[in-house]
């Protein structure tokens, strides 16, 4: 028996679908509070010292957290090549904006405190705000577009073609439902940033973070519930018609796909997946209560629970679809027709099993070393530090 035959092709596909979700959730749980803190900086800090307190809560860890974003992109490229080709083509301008924001962020972190000039520092603070808020919004917008279906198709030689003029590739993404999904994402990460600042900061910064974070938590829950109702009554879903082979070659044109009345039929077929949206709503409400009550560790954990539930609900609701095509449903990408070869997925899984525990262990050690609050006294006494 060939070694990679130890795990069947369909099981490997599901494993990598799950691992992709793990990477995206890991990015949201870690770099998510970085972006949330960035979006909060101009509002939780009224003085330069207060803003430096907020910045120093994420300054030592943001670079490591952003690695999850790189890992997610790499996993899409290696495990789901057609998804990589279509998404990076259709969302090119939006991704360019996100990458521009991520390029500005390290520059802002490094240069903000190089000059003791209020105008200089305020400008970089707003740059940090944009580099946190803009990606958080656009990530949600992208998810909203995927839920509705993306206008693309494959030619007979499997060349992906994204339809529409170049400006539609960005402006066309900003439809009402996708903007609502963007509000869910942005408010959820601001909530997460508020929970992080509640844990890591003190005094006025902590108090303002609790206030704004609690408002964001309620907004996230309300927007998420509204998006669910909208999906139930206003968004068409997709389904595979007839019999299909889960271990066949990765060819989207081999499947027959049609639109259905709603995505929520998945909850009738797999009732257990309702735990995901329940976690999203309950986690958001518990985060609100925790922020209002001044609890710290439990509030951050509830915030993570909400993010886990919200992101998981999208993947579980759409399964086995990864990116449906709104213009040519036949070209829709699913778990069963858009992966790399069985050997590639197996080798990647072996590498992941070896290195993922090392990454998690190192990350846990870093957070343990950096445990504790960032105080105004410690920041004031290190006025010439990087942050």
């Amino acid at each position: 028996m060939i070694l990679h035959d130890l795990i069947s092709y369909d099981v490997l596909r599901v494993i990598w679908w799950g691992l992709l979700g793990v990477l995206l959730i890991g990015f949201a749980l870690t770099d998510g509070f970085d972006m949330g803190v960035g979006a909060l900086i101009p509002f939780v800090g009224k003085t330069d010292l207060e803003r430096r307190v907020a910045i120093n809560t994420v300054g030592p860890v943001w670079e490591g957290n952003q690695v999850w974003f790189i890992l997610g992109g790499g996993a899409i490229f290696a495990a789901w090549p057609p998804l990589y080709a279509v998404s990076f083509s259709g969302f090119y301008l939006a991704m360019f904006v996100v990458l521009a924001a991520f390029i500005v962020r390290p520059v802002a972190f490094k240069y903000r405190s190089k000059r003791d000039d209020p105008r200089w520092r305020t400008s970089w603070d707003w740059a940090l705000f944009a580099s946190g808020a803009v990606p958080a919004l656009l990530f949600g917008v992208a998810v909203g577009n995927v839920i509705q279906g993306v206008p693309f198709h494959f030619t007979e030689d499997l060349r992906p073609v994204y339809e529409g003029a170049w400006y539609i590739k960005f402006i066309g993404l900003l439809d009402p439902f996708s903007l609502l999904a963007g509000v869910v994402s942005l408010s959820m990460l601001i909530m997460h940033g508020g929970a992080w600042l509640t844990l890591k900061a003190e005094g006025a910064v902590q108090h303002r973070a609790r206030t704004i974070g609690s408002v964001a938590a309620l907004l996230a829950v309300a927007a998420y519930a509204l998006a669910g109702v909208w999906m139930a009554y206003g968004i068409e879903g997709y389904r595979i018609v007839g019999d299909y082979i889960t271990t066949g070659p990765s060819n989207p044109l081999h499947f027959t796909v049609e639109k259905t009345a709603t995505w929520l039929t998945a909850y009738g077929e797999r009732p257990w997946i309702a735990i995901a949206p329940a976690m999203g709503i309950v986690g958001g409400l518990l985060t609100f209560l925790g922020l209002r009550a001044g609890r710290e560790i439990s509030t951050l954990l509830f915030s993570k629970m909400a993010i886990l539930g919200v992101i998981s609900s999208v993947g579980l609701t759409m399964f086995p679809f990864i990116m449906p095509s709104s213009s040519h449903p036949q070209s829709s990408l699913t778990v069963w027709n858009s992966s790399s070869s069985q050997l590639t997925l197996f080798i990647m899984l072996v590498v992941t099993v070896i290195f993922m525990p090392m990454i998690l262990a190192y990350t846990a050690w870093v957070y343990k070393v950096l445990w504790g609050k960032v105080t105004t006294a410690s920041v004031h006494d290190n006025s010439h530090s990087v942050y």
Side-chain angles (χ1 to χ4, degrees):
M1 177 184 292
I2 300 176
L3 187 60
H4 68 264
D5 287 335
L6 293 174
I7 305 178
S8 63
Y9 199 8
D10 55 342
V11 172
L12 280 170
R13 283 169 160 165
V14 174
I15 289 174
W16 271 103
W17 169 82
L19 285 175
L20 178 59
V22 168
L23 292 173
L24 295 177
I25 292 170
F27 170 65
L29 294 181
T30 55
D31 207 42
F33 66 71
D34 293 349
M35 290 186 285
V37 170
L40 286 170
I41 284 174
F43 310 105
V44 298
K46 300 302 181 181
T47 66
D48 178 66
L49 183 60
E50 291 176 347
R51 294 183 181 186
R52 288 187 65 212
V53 167
I55 291 171
N56 274 271
T57 64
V58 297
V61 297
W62 72 267
E63 289 177 291
N65 293 339
Q66 196 162 292
V67 169
W68 289 94
F69 179 69
I70 300 171
L71 290 175
I76 293 175
F77 172 77
W80 310 98
L83 174 63
Y84 182 89
V86 172
S87 60
F88 276 69
S89 175
F91 299 156
Y92 176 80
L93 292 178
M95 288 185 177
F96 181 84
V97 173
V98 170
L99 291 176
F102 281 167
I103 291 171
V104 168
R105 180 159 65 162
V107 176
F109 273 124
K110 300 300 182 184
Y111 281 88
R112 181 201 181 274
S113 295
K114 296 300 183 183
R115 293 177 57 184
D116 191 12
D117 181 350
R119 293 177 59 185
W120 169 271
R121 294 189 172 187
T122 299
S123 298
W124 287 118
D125 289 338
W126 283 104
L128 286 171
F129 163 80
S131 66
V134 172
L137 176 69
L138 291 182
F139 285 140
V141 168
V143 171
N145 277 270
V146 171
I147 291 173
Q148 296 177 93
V150 179
F152 71 92
H153 70 273
F154 286 92
T155 61
E156 292 184 359
D157 58 354
L158 296 183
R159 181 173 62 89
V161 177
Y162 189 90
E163 301 166 10
W166 67 269
Y167 55 86
I168 296 180
K169 291 185 178 182
F170 184 74
I171 299 176
L173 300 178
L174 305 178
D175 62 89
F177 179 79
S178 297
L179 286 174
L180 176 62
V183 170
V184 174
S185 176
L186 176 59
S187 57
M188 184 172 64
L189 295 189
I190 290 177
M191 170 193 74
H192 200 38
W196 176 256
L197 286 175
T198 297
L199 176 67
K200 294 290 290 183
E202 63 177 11
V205 173
Q206 184 191 60
H207 175 73
R208 296 186 191 111
R210 285 174 180 168
T211 301
I212 300 173
S214 61
V215 173
L218 287 181
L219 178 59
V221 170
Y224 180 59
L226 177 59
V229 174
W230 198 330
M231 285 184 64
Y233 297 101
I235 303 295
E236 291 182 313
Y238 294 77
R239 70 183 182 95
I240 302 174
V241 180
D243 297 330
Y244 55 91
I245 300 175
T246 60
T247 57
S250 291
N251 185 338
L253 301 181
H254 282 179
F255 284 21
T256 301
V257 177
E258 68 177 15
K259 294 185 178 182
T260 63
T262 174
W263 277 115
L264 301 191
T265 54
Y267 291 87
E269 299 168 354
R270 306 186 301 275
W272 60 270
I273 67 176
I275 190 174
M279 288 175 60
I281 292 175
V282 173
L285 293 175
L286 289 176
T287 303
F288 166 77
L289 294 175
L291 287 168
R292 300 301 295 179
R295 292 188 292 270
E296 299 179 357
I297 296 178
S298 61
T299 299
L300 183 64
L301 294 177
F302 288 139
S303 179
K304 292 180 182 294
M305 170 183 167
I307 293 173
L308 173 62
V310 169
I311 298 178
S312 297
S313 68
V314 176
L316 292 171
T317 300
M318 294 181 61
F319 185 86
F321 288 91
I322 301 177
M323 181 175 286
S325 171
S326 59
S327 56
H328 294 76
Q330 179 73 21
S331 295
S332 297
L333 300 178
T334 73
V335 173
W336 315 122
N337 66 11
S338 58
S339 72
S340 294
S341 67
Q342 184 176 359
L343 178 60
T344 300
L345 296 181
F346 180 79
I347 293 174
M348 290 173 57
L349 181 60
V350 172
V351 173
T352 301
V353 169
I354 294 173
F355 287 100
M356 183 62 75
M358 297 171 60
I359 295 173
L360 293 175
Y362 175 75
T363 301
W365 176 79
V366 168
Y367 279 95
K368 180 181 179 181
V369 171
L370 297 174
W371 188 258
K373 289 187 177 292
V374 177
T375 65
T376 54
S378 64
V379 173
H380 181 270
D381 293 341
N382 292 277
S383 59
H384 298 290
S385 65
V386 175
Y387 304 112

